Amino acid sequence: MRPELLKGHLDTLLLAVLETGPQHGYAVIEALRGGSGGALDLPTGTVYPALHRLERAGLIASDWHSVGGRRRRAYHLTPAGHAALGEQRAVWDQFSAAVTAVLTRRPGPATA
């Protein structure tokens, strides 16, 4: 998938992945990849800065946990994140319906 197609949608995708519950960064990356059939195979250099930005915005929060002797940061949605995801889903539904309507419309006969 071309990176410019993702622009403006990454935050919403990350919020949607975290809606299922707390996940560490690598699990978020795997969920994006798996949930998109491999189309969203994003590098850590894209995902982690976005997670930090969402945390600064108060849409997600994080906690440190030890897993197998390694410290991992698990991210989860805040109430504000749940609300933002709901709003962004509504915007996406409207946008995608409009784009689909235009892209699937077949031209009719030309009128003079």
Side-chain angles (χ1 to χ4, degrees), residues 53-87:
R53 182 178 62 252
L54 290 170
E55 189 168 24
R56 283 191 307 273
L59 300 178
I60 66 173
S62 65
D63 301 300
W64 287 97
H65 301 278
S66 289
V67 178
R70 291 181 56 196
R71 284 178 41 92
R72 290 187 176 174
R73 180 180 252 169
Y75 299 91
H76 61 275
L77 289 182
T78 63
H82 281 284
L85 179 58
E87 292 168 10

Side-chain angles (χ1 to χ4, degrees), residues 17-37:
V17 165
L18 291 172
E19 184 179 35
T20 62
Q23 296 184 57
H24 59 82
Y26 185 73
V28 169
I29 292 169
E30 287 296 309
L32 285 170
R33 183 182 304 126
S36 67

